[in-house]
Amino acid sequence: MCFSKNITTNFKKVAFISIVISLISQMHINIFSTELKVSFAIILLPITLYVLEDFNVILASIFSGLGVFLLRILLHFLIHGNYNNILALYAPEILFYIGYGFLFYLYTKHFKNNFNSKFFFIIMILIDYLSNLLEMYVRIGPECFSSTIQQSLIFVATLRTVIIVIIFFCLDYYEILLLKKEHAERYKKLLLTTSKLKCEIFWMEKNMYQIENTMSISYELFEKIKQNRDIKTWSTSALTIAKDIHEVKKEYSLIVRGIKEALDTTDVNNSTSFKVILLILKETIEREIYNSNKNIELIISTNNDFLTNKHYFLMSVFRNLITNSTEAISPSPNLNHIWFNHTSDDLYHIFEIKDDGNGIKEDHLSLIFSPGFSTKINYNTGEINRGLGLSLVKDIVTKELQGTITVDSKEDIGTRFLIKIPKNILEV
């Protein structure tokens, strides 16, 4: 069902792009001869891919070429009333679109849709030039290699590429403005959330004193029972302990409710794009890596973007796992790596976090998701540093996000966590 839906969506994108390119291509200028029509419609292909990210480039270019050809024939007949020499006039243009689409597909496949590559400008000029050269060669043969025509081809290719780059810059700038506005709104919400959380922290601190008092009464009761003295006070002490525990439980239930309300993520308007989550995650982790004085490179790749209102959960899970990887890598002059890879299929978002650190001992692998388990213990102070804790990570993934998490690790080779979360849970 989902596979069929994806095919339909992809075909709609291809059809829409092809129709738009075909229509805009009718606005053109003629150079070299009256037969060669230079259109700026082709610049929509990389721009649309930049915006939509996912569609069949080759299919779109073939349909665009055919659409342009058919529209040229229609307009020619309406204007001139005949079909004389019509194939020679317009058929070679199909080759331009097909050639452009094929070369552009090779670029996007090799660079994984990276439009910020330092080679982008030169490659786009080359794609445009070679596609135009193919069309010209079919039209006029070897004469297309004359200096005049070659200069014109290079000029047209450069001009179209400059326009593409300018549009990309404008789109990036517009996105930055939107992000700034979004961040300002989030900052306001953050202030409100922080004020609510501070109130709950006050109640938690208050309850800590009550817990300590209850512990003191419990220990005193234990000593009395152990020494078999003041038997008449045992029941009163036990009742006091039960009453205090009930009060603490009641207070903490209210605190939990208050925290959940402060961090409410059920509102679709409170959703965040996955790329923003990764941006924040990357900046945070790279700062931690820098402060740790370790030689580590964090490499993040993502399949596509989506909106989610589970950003708090995702950030907690990813940050904990990547921090664990950072801590698992020993200081070394050699460069180590942490990889975060995001892919998706019809049903799931798939997240892979792996490193080339020290790995996990085989006899620890079955225990790492157990509550309280940690390999990071300071034996001088007795302090256990476990961050969020892998047991809570597993609870978030399996219970809150209805997903799965697995781990593979080998000592001195590295560790790999694989998380699968249903799309219908993550996306809004």
Side-chain angles (χ1 to χ4, degrees), residues 354-360 408-416:
K354 62 180 181 178
D355 62 64
D356 53 8
N358 298 334
I360 302 172
D408 296 309
S409 186
K410 291 185 179 179
E411 283 192 79
D412 301 322
I413 294 179
T415 302
R416 173 179 176 266

Side-chain angles (χ1 to χ4, degrees), residues 100-150:
Y100 192 100
F102 179 74
L103 293 173
F104 189 66
Y105 167 76
L106 293 179
Y107 167 76
T108 55
K109 184 177 180 181
H110 181 74
F111 287 92
K112 297 181 179 179
N113 289 7
N114 182 8
F115 297 107
N116 295 317
S117 166
K118 59 184 177 181
F119 305 110
F120 176 75
F121 186 78
I122 295 174
I123 291 177
M124 290 304 297
I125 291 176
L126 189 62
I127 289 173
D128 196 302
Y129 166 77
L130 291 175
S131 305
N132 250 333
L133 183 64
L134 174 63
E135 179 185 349
M136 285 299 298
Y137 186 81
V138 173
R139 286 186 183 278
I140 61 177
E143 292 181 23
C144 68
F145 293 103
S146 68
S147 60
T148 302
I149 293 179
Q150 287 295 305

Side-chain angles (χ1 to χ4, degrees), residues 360-367 409-411:
I360 302 172
K361 294 181 179 179
E362 188 175 351
D363 54 346
H364 287 170
L365 272 177
S366 60
L367 302 173
S409 186
K410 291 185 179 179
E411 283 192 79

Side-chain angles (χ1 to χ4, degrees), residues 11 34 42 65 84 129 143 152 175 212 224 310 384 387:
F11 183 79
T34 57
I42 193 63
N84 295 337
Y129 166 77
E143 292 181 23
S152 300
E175 185 177 1
E212 289 176 359
K224 288 179 180 179
K310 307 292 185 183
I384 299 176

Side-chain angles (χ1 to χ4, degrees), residues 379-392:
Y379 290 99
N380 294 324
T381 64
E383 181 182 356
I384 299 176
N385 177 21
R386 60 188 179 93
L388 178 62
L390 289 177
S391 64
L392 290 182

Side-chain angles (χ1 to χ4, degrees), residues 312-355:
Y312 296 118
F313 292 130
L314 290 179
M315 184 67 74
S316 298
V317 169
F318 297 152
R319 190 175 183 279
N320 185 76
L321 292 177
I322 296 177
T323 298
N324 281 351
S325 293
T326 304
E327 294 173 349
I329 295 175
S330 302
S332 169
N334 298 322
L335 180 63
N336 289 100
H337 301 86
I338 299 173
W339 294 272
F340 179 99
N341 300 316
H342 164 242
T343 56
S344 62
D345 56 25
D346 292 338
L347 298 176
Y348 294 94
H349 284 288
I350 303 165
F351 308 97
E352 180 190 47
I353 298 172
K354 62 180 181 178
D355 62 64

Side-chain angles (χ1 to χ4, degrees), residues 171-187 272-273 275-277 279-280 305:
L171 289 173
D172 284 340
Y173 184 73
Y174 179 67
E175 185 177 1
I176 290 171
L177 289 178
L178 289 180
L179 281 175
K180 284 184 177 180
K181 183 179 179 181
E182 181 184 350
H183 288 168
E185 292 296 324
R186 291 189 180 281
Y187 182 70
T272 300
S273 75
K275 285 189 176 180
V276 170
I277 295 173
L279 179 64
I280 297 171
D305 197 14

